[in-house]
Amino acid sequence: MILALTLAVVLGTMAGALLSARRQAKARTLTEWAVGGRKFGVLIFWFLNAGEIYTTFAVLGISGFAWAYGAPAYLALTSVSLSATIGYWLMPLIWNAGRRHGLVTQADFFAAHYRATWLGVVVGLAGIAALIVYVQIQIVALSLIVRMTLGPEVSPALSAIIAAVFMLGFVFFAGLRSAAFAAGVKDVLMVLIVIGLCASVASKVGAASMLDVYRLAQDSFPGIGRLPGLQPGAALSQVWLMTSALNVALGNWILPHLFQLCFSAGSEATIRRNAIWQPIYSLSYFFIILLGFAALLAGTQPAGGDTNAVLLQFVADRYPAWVVGIFAGTACLLALVPGSVLLLTAGSIFSRNVLLPLRPALSERATLLASRLSMIGFAAAAVYLTLGGSKSLVEIGLSAYAAIGMLAPGVYAAFLWPRANARGVFLGIVAGYCALLLPQAQELWKALLPGWEPGLIAMAVNAAVMVAACLALPERRARALVTT
């Protein structure tokens, strides 16, 4: 029954998504395929944009983080609201630039504004690397669901490959329009399921109400509700929470798929309305964290202590098979929908900003084909990362935000500082990655700034070097893409 219901939810949504896309004009150009023809209204844009909150990172990752660490899971509550605040200002600026100049990708923006095609190639490669890490999150979660539904005899490698194949099939032919339909379905289903689970979770752990679950958790595990949480040695302090939330907020709209999503909106009003109401989504984390605490009270022990599988194991242990099947199917959508958008974005960047500068004679149809085929390689890279690591989804997510944060100074400078130039932005990116990745730098930050999110420190180094380089190496260039 579990497998049948899981397939019914996933395949039914895939069929509806493909039919929805086919009813509209078939994508014949990269612009139509990657940014939906720049026509999305409030509802569709809401589910694609604000609906990004309901991913496996949020539901499986945060619940597992609450189970393992307690209060540090509150990071989710703070980062969403901060991101929406920045997005209210930043997203319309990105949309306006894309609308006026026909931009499709984030790398387009860098190449056009800084008048440097080579910088677009550098930014494109950096963006693809960060996207692959983010795809890893979805494949890790989806492979867990595959093993739960098909049985533990399915190896981790095979389950990861199956997950990648499903993800590629989900978006390969229809582009962003299919993901838009599926995003709406998965958000509605997940809201209903989370509400249903929370409404019944008290009885599963001997509590009188949802709020009583929090009381029992605090009584049973003192310190769970305040920082640093259940594991003080993990260094998840107040400083960590503040710096991590700020790093996520500053880097959120720099993620290439969300940057590119801004181009798909039909109007500036669509974007601002979404930004106004998006913080409401953060309230859902109250229920997601509640489920993590309930799993802890219930004594849930996922195989190998895998925090990513906590909620799946809790539902499998405490609920009937039909609930498990519907939950597993919906959780599949939580991975498939954002994963397909991530792959679509990576493919668009590769064909348009890496391949096309090398082969400028490529036709629009050949570029579209290259974009689709490149997604196979990116999915394979994400599978490789999945098999080579065992981090929690939250840790992988923070790594992705740290990586993409190296492009943030270049974006903000484009709108705030007319003297920013391509050489300065590039040198800042190089310095930022050195500050983030070199072991010597990592040890230095631990000694000088204990508890700080490394990505925020590296972003600050990036910005400082960029400013210094732009002042030391000024460029005389034509009118910039963005005027301030």
Side-chain angles (χ1 to χ4, degrees):
M1 177 182 286
I2 294 175
L3 178 60
L5 286 172
T6 301
L7 289 175
V9 171
V10 174
L11 296 179
T13 303
M14 289 179 69
L18 291 173
L19 288 174
S20 175
R22 293 295 184 266
R23 283 202 302 268
Q24 305 174 58
K26 185 177 180 180
R28 292 183 174 85
T29 68
L30 186 62
T31 300
E32 292 173 350
W33 191 60
V35 295
R38 308 183 196 275
K39 299 176 182 177
F40 288 163
V42 173
L43 189 61
I44 294 178
F45 191 77
W46 167 267
F47 282 121
L48 275 173
N49 185 17
E52 278 293 309
I53 295 171
Y54 269 137
T55 66
T56 53
F57 173 86
V59 178
L60 300 185
I62 293 299
S63 61
F65 211 64
W67 174 85
Y69 299 103
Y74 299 158
L75 169 67
L77 294 166
T78 57
S79 60
V80 170
S81 297
L82 285 173
S83 297
T85 302
I86 294 174
Y88 184 85
W89 165 75
L90 181 62
M91 292 169 64
L93 297 177
I94 296 172
W95 175 84
N96 272 305
R99 172 75 64 170
R100 290 199 313 268
H101 301 280
L103 308 180
V104 174
T105 67
Q106 181 188 63
D108 282 353
F109 175 85
F110 274 84
H113 177 73
Y114 292 107
R115 300 290 191 253
T117 302
W118 62 267
L119 183 61
V121 175
V122 171
V123 168
L125 292 173
I128 288 171
L131 287 172
I132 289 173
V133 174
Y134 218 73
V135 172
Q136 180 192 356
I137 295 176
Q138 316 311 327
I139 290 181
V140 167
L142 193 53
S143 63
L144 289 173
I145 300 166
V146 168
R147 296 193 73 194
M148 185 181 78
T149 53
L150 297 183
E153 61 272 12
V154 178
S155 69
L158 180 58
S159 64
I161 292 171
I162 293 172
V165 170
F166 262 98
M167 197 173 293
L168 286 167
F170 197 81
V171 75
F172 199 79
F173 294 104
L176 196 60
R177 290 191 180 98
S178 65
F181 175 89
V185 173
K186 65 100 174 170
D187 274 15
V188 171
L189 282 176
M190 185 47 64
V191 167
L192 294 175
I193 288 174
V194 168
I195 291 174
L197 291 177
C198 289
S200 59
V201 74
S203 63
K204 305 293 182 180
V205 297
S209 65
M210 286 190 288
L211 289 177
D212 197 40
V213 173
Y214 279 96
R215 182 193 61 79
L216 281 178
Q218 180 63 40
D219 291 344
S220 303
F221 303 93
I224 191 175
R226 61 179 182 272
L227 294 168
L230 295 175
Q231 299 186 32
L236 302 177
S237 63
Q238 290 91 338
V239 171
W240 170 84
L241 180 70
M242 291 186 290
T243 55
S244 296
L246 183 58
N247 188 63
V248 170
L250 289 172
N252 190 63
W253 307 111
I254 313 302
L255 286 166
H257 66 295
L258 293 179
F259 195 103
Q260 185 168 314
L261 183 62
C262 295
F263 298 148
S264 69
S267 68
E268 184 175 329
T270 294
I271 293 176
R272 292 199 185 277
R273 288 171 187 164
N274 274 273
I276 290 170
W277 293 104
Q278 187 177 353
I280 292 177
Y281 255 101
S282 66
L283 298 178
S284 64
Y285 284 116
F286 167 85
F287 302 102
I288 293 169
I289 293 171
L290 170 73
L291 292 174
F293 286 179
L296 188 62
L297 288 171
T300 302
Q301 292 296 327
D306 187 355
T307 61
N308 303 321
V310 166
L311 188 55
L312 292 172
Q313 189 66 56
F314 174 68
V315 173
D317 290 345
R318 300 282 171 163
Y319 288 87
W322 66 270
V323 174
V324 178
I326 295 175
F327 176 73
T330 306
C332 281
L333 296 180
L334 294 181
L336 287 173
V337 175
S340 63
V341 174
L342 293 165
L343 288 175
L344 176 113
T345 305
S348 303
I349 293 172
F350 172 78
S351 62
R352 187 176 177 93
N353 303 110
V354 178
L355 181 61
L356 200 57
L358 301 176
R359 299 286 301 275
L362 279 179
S363 66
E364 186 76 28
R365 294 179 69 86
T367 304
L368 178 59
L369 178 62
S371 178
R372 288 171 168 167
L373 294 178
S374 67
M375 293 193 303
I376 299 174
F378 301 142
V383 169
Y384 174 79
L385 291 176
T386 299
L387 298 179
S390 58
K391 293 182 177 180
S392 74
L393 296 181
V394 173
E395 291 174 311
I396 298 172
L398 290 177
S399 297
Y401 278 107
I404 204 58
M406 298 307 97
L407 303 183
V411 172
Y412 291 115
F415 297 111
L416 296 173
W417 195 39
R419 297 183 64 179
N421 60 55
R423 286 183 293 184
V425 170
F426 172 71
L427 291 174
I429 291 172
V430 173
Y433 277 119
C434 289
L436 180 66
L437 300 176
L438 289 179
Q440 298 88 338
Q442 294 172 358
E443 292 302 318
L444 178 63
W445 309 138
K446 288 179 182 178
L448 295 180
L449 299 169
W452 280 59
E453 162 57 38
L456 186 63
I457 300 173
M459 189 189 299
V461 171
N462 181 332
V465 171
M466 180 194 72
V467 170
C470 289
L471 293 175
L473 302 169
E475 292 182 2
R476 294 188 62 183
R477 55 194 177 95
R479 183 175 61 86
L481 176 71
V482 176
T483 56
T484 55

